[in-house]
Amino acid sequence: NPRAANSKGILNFKFVALHPRLILLADECDPFSRALILRGLAVANVNIIKDEASQMPSDEEVDLRSTTTLRGHLKHLETLVHHNIDTLIGPTRRDIDTEDIAPARDSQSLIEPVTVTVEFTVINRKRFPTSRYLFIEVDPVATLVSFGDLNLIETVAKKLQKKASVRSQLSKKKRNIMKRHIGF
């Protein structure tokens, strides 16, 4: 590999999560709330490569290129609506290691399991514009949605949006306070 010969540094990191559950509640205060559950095999790879982009005379500065790539792969991602979260995480929960996560009486599949791949690459180099590339691949999707399910998705999305807005406002306040104290 000619690129490896000029490499100044390579970092590879791989993260694998075996079917984690992401539980998004419609109402955190209600122990019997409905929930949107995402579950599937998650694999993430991070590659950072720093290498010489061009050969220059030795008395000049080295032209380094930094390439950062993040790949995410969700295999057989399940999206479920769970009707009573207490049976999943509350004191009356069942042993989910011996049972399927989606018993017919408590959950229903919102989207049939799907595989999603996302790749994001950033290339930095002095005296050149930063290049960014995004690739998203989604397998064909089959879904069955009711108005109640759409309402749950809307409620969860609004809560996430509200939390992001509050965080943004708090960080702006912190920056303003720091500017006043530092004198900018």
Side-chain angles (χ1 to χ4, degrees):
N1 184 2
R3 191 168 183 186
N6 294 335
S7 291
K8 297 292 182 187
I10 298 175
L11 172 69
N12 294 314
F13 177 74
K14 184 173 188 172
F15 172 79
V16 178
L18 299 173
H19 301 282
R21 290 179 296 170
L22 176 61
I23 301 171
L24 304 168
L25 299 174
D27 184 359
E28 293 92 357
C29 299
D30 181 4
F32 305 105
S33 176
R34 292 179 57 182
L36 184 63
I37 300 173
L38 305 175
R39 181 179 184 224
L41 174 65
V43 179
N45 293 301
V46 178
N47 296 321
I48 301 173
I49 300 172
K50 295 186 183 212
D51 59 358
E52 291 181 23
S54 63
Q55 298 293 332
M56 298 174 71
S58 61
D59 60 334
E60 292 188 27
E61 187 177 323
V62 176
D63 185 17
L64 289 178
R65 172 180 44 216
S66 174
T67 305
T68 304
T69 303
L70 173 64
R71 286 182 199 91
H73 187 74
L74 295 170
K75 188 168 182 164
H76 300 295
L77 176 66
E78 296 175 278
T79 307
L80 306 165
V81 174
H82 199 79
H83 299 290
N84 182 356
I85 197 63
D86 188 57
T87 61
L88 191 62
I89 62 173
T92 62
R93 70 178 172 261
R94 293 182 305 274
D95 184 13
I96 59 170
D97 292 333
T98 59
E99 289 188 45
D100 185 18
I101 188 172
R105 67 173 197 234
D106 291 337
S107 296
Q108 71 184 43
S109 179
L110 188 61
I111 298 175
E112 292 300 316
V114 66
T115 298
V116 178
T117 302
V118 177
E119 182 174 320
F120 181 68
T121 301
V122 177
I123 301 173
N124 291 316
R125 187 173 167 195
K126 285 187 179 181
R127 297 182 304 260
F128 287 90
T130 299
S131 300
R132 293 175 184 89
Y133 304 96
L134 177 65
F135 171 76
I136 301 173
E137 182 179 10
V138 180
D139 284 355
V141 177
T143 185
L144 176 65
V145 181
S146 70
F147 286 112
D149 298 334
L150 289 175
N151 187 25
L152 172 64
I153 293 168
E154 180 184 27
T155 301
V156 167
K158 283 182 179 178
K159 284 188 179 215
L160 291 175
Q161 186 178 23
K162 185 177 178 182
K163 286 180 182 179
S165 175
V166 168
R167 284 187 190 133
S168 175
Q169 290 174 357
L170 287 175
S171 67
K172 285 180 184 177
K173 286 181 182 179
K174 286 180 184 177
R175 280 192 297 247
N176 288 337
I177 290 170
M178 290 299 291
K179 286 179 182 178
R180 280 188 233 133
H181 285 295
I182 296 174
F184 285 101

